[in-house]
Amino acid sequence: MPQLNGGGGDDLGANDEMISFKDEGEQEEKISENVSAERDLDDVKSSLVNESENNSSSSDSEQAERRPQTRPDSESYEKTRDYFSEALRRQQDGGFFKSPHYPGYPFLMIPDLTNPYLSNGSLSPSARTYLQMKWPLLDVPGSAALKDSRSPTPGHLSNKVPVVQHAHHVHPLTPLITYSNEHFSPGTPPSHLSPEILDPKTGIPRTPHPSELSPYYPLSPGAVGSIAHPLGWLMPQQGQHMYSIPPGGFRHPYPALAMNASMSSLVSSRFSPHMVTPPPHSLHQTGIPHPAIVSPAIKQEPSGDNISPSMHARKSPVPPKKEEDKKPHIKKPLNAFMLYMKEMRAKVVAECTLKESAAINQILGRRWHSLSREEQAKYYELARKERQLHSQLYPGWSARDNYGKRKKRKRENKPDSKPEDFSIRSKKQCVQYLPSEKMCDSPASSHGSMLDSPATPSAALASPAAPAATHSEQAQPLSLTTKPEGRMHHHFSLPGKASGSTSSSSSSSSSSSSQPTISIPIGTSGSHSTTPILTRPIPFTSLHPPMLSPPSPFHQAALHSHHALFQSQPLSLVTKPTE
DNA sequence: TCGCCTTTGAAGGAT
DNA sequence: ATCCTTCAAAGGCGA
């Protein structure tokens, strides 16, 4: 069943489209690289401003324009891929990054860190592994470390959903980011302390499989610090950072401490650079605080600061009652977009003069949509891993726990806001944050990305293989829409389910009312900001349950059909009648 | 000093 | 099953 087409994403019949997507994605990178942004910026500006106007037409032209540009990037793209394959190859060779061809990415193993906040010892150790994206990604030689090494699909990945690695089109992250629950088993205590590993869920101690341990030893300290980041391409910027890791940290004999790609990815984003060059003891002895943990006292500044709290906590042998009182703030795991934002923000900021996050975020949002499915899939995958890890680290944690912790994030007006408001707001909001001068979104943005994406990350995942948004989709430029109303969520109503979120009352408001430039955010995942409702013939949901694995051929196939359908059936835009 | 703004996605309560 | 709300990051800005 897996190999329906054997071509992975290519088989979906959207090859050309896929290519274009790639180009787009590349282009963006390129943009960042070659700050030939001048032109890009102009394009973007105009595109952003006029997008809505030129919805349909622009897309084509845009593509046409862009294509030439992007071409050159195909090379880089290939390179990135090469990086991956290279990394993979090494891992598979057992060489395990012996030769650091990519100095930029140090090999990282996470030392034994205990999570001070988890009174329940069962989880603690793994918390340490929750590191940030900026950190080098390290992948544990997948199979080796795993209990089920024989299994083609790492059992640990199985979030119920088997990971299917396409023979020919292996998701880049899949192999690299295998993280195993085993490895990061919350219950994995230092071996010297306890030979047993606690089952994250059951809490029942188990004896670590030898294979779980050994794989990490091979890592030579010398190699550390000069290992290519397997996901470097994923982190254009951060990837460049080199983190010198205290040898001691790597010598740590605990498999659970080894950082695999997924972890690193996860890790990378939430740890501040400070963490990168921490004194050895900080890593090894005090442990790495889970980035998601934020001391209540410390507002929630992730950078650097969050380190201390946890570290302190860790130091105190007994995280006693205080912990309870202080109840650490465990942050939500970052979603795909957030991960993307973290990575790209700096880039965008560099390209533009914009500093305001709101504006940057708008751009990022657009870029996000312009990403190829593959690229998005990477982030979805990372996000999935992060969630997975997070859940392992904090089994009892619920997103609800954080409710109300954030200073009144909601503005009251939302509920209060009346339809009338919408118009006003929307007008004002449009482009508000994208001053003409600063608009620097990538022109490429207009392409649709994943219609289904968020709703079905799976879709996104599947996406690589999945048919790119069809022409119609692609053609629809994303608009910098304005959120009609405060935080009204506008969603496409997909027959199946779109992302968890969904259309809302507001949609009507915007559509009908006043959005000066209403563009159809087709392909936007579950975007909140769009007005028009897109109805699709196909229930994505049926295709993808919450995905946990990289695009499986199955999904691909499904998508394929979906794709076909799409092509034949243009999207129908339906504006939800306002109430 | 604090919350808003803005983005997408996920989670979970409410309907 | 769907809808709705909140939060995650981030940093300038306004009150």
Side-chain angles (χ1 to χ4, degrees):
Chain A
M1 144 169 145
Q3 273 76 348
L4 290 178
N5 297 331
D10 318 312
D11 45 356
L12 295 178
N15 282 341
D16 45 346
E17 290 178 352
M18 290 301 291
I19 291 171
S20 69
F21 267 119
K22 281 182 188 175
D23 289 349
E24 287 181 359
E26 294 168 15
Q27 180 190 13
E28 296 208 301
E29 303 230 337
K30 168 181 163 190
I31 290 173
S32 60
E33 291 177 11
N34 310 333
V35 184
S36 63
E38 287 273 353
R39 188 162 76 87
D40 291 338
L41 290 180
D42 289 341
D43 290 349
V44 174
K45 291 177 188 175
S46 58
S47 68
L48 288 177
V49 173
N50 301 328
E51 255 183 6
S52 55
E53 298 175 1
N54 309 333
N55 263 352
S56 54
S57 62
S58 68
S59 60
D60 290 344
S61 59
E62 270 185 24
Q63 269 199 345
E65 288 181 22
R66 274 181 271 165
R67 223 155 247 186
Q69 274 186 335
T70 56
R71 276 295 161 217
D73 281 342
S74 58
E75 238 186 42
S76 62
Y77 181 84
E78 288 305 318
K79 282 182 183 175
T80 59
R81 292 184 60 127
D82 288 347
Y83 273 87
F84 254 100
S85 34
E86 175 71 4
L88 272 176
R89 188 173 57 70
R90 293 185 185 195
Q91 283 188 323
Q92 292 169 349
D93 287 349
F96 207 63
F97 298 126
K98 288 179 210 159
S99 61
H101 287 176
Y102 314 106
Y105 308 104
F107 193 58
L108 179 60
M109 283 181 92
I110 312 296
D112 177 20
L113 307 176
T114 36
N115 182 347
Y117 301 108
L118 300 179
S119 55
N120 176 353
S122 63
L123 269 195
S124 63
S126 47
R128 356 159 152 142
T129 57
Y130 201 73
L131 304 178
Q132 298 254 333
M133 216 166 214
K134 273 143 190 170
W135 282 51
L137 295 180
L138 169 67
D139 191 15
V140 173
S143 51
L146 303 182
K147 225 178 5 184
D148 304 332
S149 58
R150 285 164 303 197
S151 171
T153 70
H156 56 282
L157 273 184
S158 70
N159 210 4
K160 259 87 185 179
V161 176
V163 173
V164 178
Q165 296 184 1
H166 194 287
H168 302 297
H169 192 95
V170 175
H171 190 289
L173 293 181
T174 301
L176 294 176
I177 301 189
T178 59
Y179 48 101
S180 101
N181 297 340
E182 311 300 330
H183 286 151
F184 301 110
S185 162
T188 307
S191 59
H192 61 278
L193 295 179
S194 168
E196 292 180 336
I197 294 175
L198 296 180
D199 182 288
K201 300 199 170 160
T202 62
I204 299 169
R206 69 179 178 79
T207 304
H209 190 286
S211 64
E212 294 179 284
L213 300 175
S214 59
Y216 308 93
Y217 297 116
L219 181 62
S220 85
V224 173
S226 58
I227 290 177
H229 192 310
L231 296 181
W233 52 273
L234 232 179
M235 316 175 193
Q237 297 185 359
Q238 287 81 354
Q240 299 171 1
H241 299 169
M242 289 195 57
Y243 307 113
S244 61
I245 295 158
F250 294 99
R251 289 203 187 116
H252 208 289
Y254 312 124
L257 303 182
M259 181 180 201
N260 61 19
S262 61
M263 297 213 38
S264 62
S265 65
L266 299 183
V267 167
S268 63
S269 52
R270 290 184 177 175
F271 277 159
S272 70
H274 301 15
M275 292 298 292
V276 172
T277 56
H281 64 273
S282 67
L283 274 176
H284 192 68
Q285 297 177 351
T286 62
I288 296 174
H290 191 296
I293 297 175
V294 175
S295 164
I298 294 188
K299 199 178 165 185
Q300 53 181 34
E301 253 329 303
S303 325
D305 294 347
N306 64 347
I307 294 171
S308 55
S310 56
M311 284 168 72
H312 289 315
R314 169 117 173 68
K315 282 177 182 174
S316 63
V318 182
K321 285 303 176 180
K322 280 189 179 178
E323 298 300 332
E324 304 269 299
D325 298 346
K326 283 190 173 185
K327 226 177 189 179
H329 179 78
I330 298 172
K331 296 180 184 177
K332 293 175 66 173
L334 301 187
N335 63 34
F337 178 70
M338 287 295 162
L339 291 172
Y340 172 75
M341 272 200 354
K342 285 206 108 176
E343 278 190 26
M344 301 302 294
R345 175 177 294 281
K347 211 176 194 178
V348 171
V349 170
E351 291 176 16
C352 331
T353 54
L354 279 180
K355 298 281 187 195
E356 292 183 56
S357 289
I360 298 295
N361 290 349
Q362 278 193 322
I363 292 169
L364 287 171
R366 281 178 54 84
R367 288 198 175 193
W368 172 251
H369 290 297
S370 72
L371 286 180
S372 69
R373 290 167 180 245
E374 284 185 2
E375 287 172 321
Q376 284 190 340
K378 295 169 198 167
Y379 293 96
Y380 281 113
E381 178 69 7
L382 287 175
R384 182 182 70 79
K385 300 282 186 187
E386 181 150 353
R387 287 195 305 276
Q388 189 178 341
L389 180 58
H390 193 277
S391 65
Q392 288 176 12
L393 296 178
Y394 314 106
W397 180 87
S398 164
R400 207 76 180 177
D401 295 347
N402 292 354
Y403 277 27
K405 293 200 173 179
R406 202 171 176 133
K407 310 285 161 91
K408 175 176 252 156
R409 179 166 201 236
K410 275 300 177 196
R411 28 216 205 246
E412 256 77 15
N413 58 0
K414 184 197 294 181
D416 300 346
S417 65
K418 307 196 160 110
E420 307 106 74
D421 299 353
F422 297 162
S423 60
I424 297 171
R425 272 205 180 206
S426 50
K427 283 178 185 173
K428 157 183 161 190
Q429 288 180 340
C430 191
V431 185
Q432 171 178 14
Y433 273 86
L434 291 171
S436 59
E437 292 202 18
K438 317 203 159 179
M439 298 202 169
C440 34
D441 185 0
S442 80
S445 60
S446 39
H447 281 287
S449 36
M450 327 201 17
L451 286 177
D452 30 351
S453 63
T456 57
S458 42
L461 290 176
S463 59
T470 58
H471 287 301
S472 58
E473 294 173 356
Q474 291 185 349
Q476 307 286 345
L478 299 174
S479 64
L480 268 186
T481 67
T482 65
K483 249 173 191 172
E485 182 33 26
R487 272 186 79 84
M488 309 293 287
H489 294 203
H490 302 277
H491 301 281
F492 296 114
S493 70
L494 297 180
K497 115 188 193 177
S499 52
S501 53
T502 69
S503 73
S504 64
S505 50
S506 58
S507 62
S508 62
S509 66
S510 56
S511 64
S512 53
S513 67
S514 32
Q515 290 230 354
T517 61
I518 293 173
S519 57
I520 299 163
I522 290 180
T524 66
S525 40
S527 65
H528 309 268
S529 56
T530 67
T531 323
I533 292 170
L534 175 62
T535 40
R536 301 214 154 180
I538 296 182
F540 289 96
T541 24
S542 61
L543 297 180
H544 321 281
M547 176 134 312
L548 309 172
S549 60
S552 71
F554 174 82
H555 285 117
Q556 292 173 7
L559 285 175
H560 186 39
S561 58
H562 169 246
H563 178 57
L565 215 139
F566 246 92
Q567 293 200 317
S568 59
Q569 298 188 3
L571 304 172
S572 59
L573 283 178
V574 177
T575 52
K576 207 178 201 172
T578 329
E579 304 266 350

